[in-house]
Amino acid sequence: MKGLSVLNRQEVTAVAMIFPLTSFLYITGIVILIALLIACIFIPNDWQTVCLCIDFIILIAVKFLINYYAARKYNKTIPKMFSNLNDFIAEQNKFLSRRLVPKVVRNAISTNIACAYVMYERYPEALDIYNRIINDFKRPTESFYCFLNTADIYLSLGNEPMYFNFINLTHQVLNGVRNTNLKLYSKLLSEYEIYYSVLELRRTRSVQAAQMFMDIRQRHINLERSKKIHSKKQAINTALPIYILGLAYMVLGDTEQARSCFEQIAASTEPLPYVNRTREYLKTGNEEVLWH
């Protein structure tokens, strides 16, 4: 539902290894710069330090620019999961098949595949991926999204004990970050609040959970307006937040607003399960189909 591990040029290294062209440019650039460094040996001592500094700066710039281009190119593949799952998975697996892709990038790609499976409600496949990579995560953000997404999967599978287990693991990550990085803690806590409110709404279907979701949602909207923040993750797919909003309105008894939300979703061209459920609800009036 969330937690897309979109590659960020500032968070991973050697993103360039995903694509043949950027791999070639990346490796060629490093080889050339190493040759230049060796050449510095043969120039006068007075100029050696200057040349080494220039080569080092060029090396950093080349790596940054190539990885920047590769990360942007990769991020453009993410929205494909909302149009054709099989094509998206095939393309992502092609990236994983490249030998020089580092482990941190492989894990990010695998996480995106798992998120795609969750979007299409293929929970066993998603869970299998998380079980394979869950011990590889070194950074708190990676563990945070992995635990929260896994909690989502277990809730969808009806396994509440495991759901609460992974919610607790998410809390542990948050507590650890709070003691080391307050800025990151604030960001993760904000994402956790909205995500957890959605999970609890789905789990309990209670007025309290619906109101909690609405309150947190409004607080986030106000924060985004005040800071002029635009969430890239929400921009990728707008239908799902509207779907959850419709569920909250329904629980709160505002059927008119709920129907308005669901009519927006029914008009979506995305071949996703909740879009089909919405259309079924609008035809039959059976509210239960919305919660599956």
Side-chain angles (χ1 to χ4, degrees), residues 70 110 113 119 122 131 134 138 147 185 199 227 231 265:
S110 295
I113 294 174
M119 289 294 298
R122 293 172 56 174
N131 285 338
I134 197 168
K138 306 300 181 183
F147 294 155
Y185 171 74
L199 294 176
K227 295 186 176 181
S231 173
I265 301 218

Side-chain angles (χ1 to χ4, degrees), residues 28-53:
T28 301
I30 291 177
V31 170
I32 292 174
L33 288 170
I34 290 175
L36 291 174
L37 290 173
I38 295 174
C40 288
I41 299 174
F42 302 99
I43 64 175
N45 291 336
D46 295 342
W47 289 94
Q48 280 187 1
T49 301
V50 174
C51 290
L52 287 172
C53 289

Side-chain angles (χ1 to χ4, degrees), residues 58-114:
I58 293 174
L59 175 62
I60 297 299
V62 168
K63 289 178 63 178
F64 175 84
L65 290 173
I66 295 176
N67 281 321
Y68 173 82
Y69 171 77
R72 285 176 61 90
K73 186 175 181 181
Y74 174 78
N75 289 344
K76 291 179 180 179
T77 70
I78 299 300
K80 295 179 182 179
M81 74 167 68
F82 301 109
S83 57
N84 190 307
L85 176 64
N86 292 332
D87 288 350
F88 173 78
I89 298 298
E91 184 175 36
Q92 300 299 306
N93 282 330
K94 185 177 180 180
F95 297 145
L96 290 175
S97 68
R98 297 187 59 78
R99 295 182 179 180
L100 297 179
V101 177
K103 196 170 189 178
V104 65
V105 180
R106 290 182 182 278
N107 288 341
I109 294 171
S110 295
T111 299
N112 284 332
I113 294 174

Side-chain angles (χ1 to χ4, degrees), residues 13 124 127 199 225 246 292:
T13 58
L127 189 59
L199 294 176
R225 287 174 178 170
H292 289 176

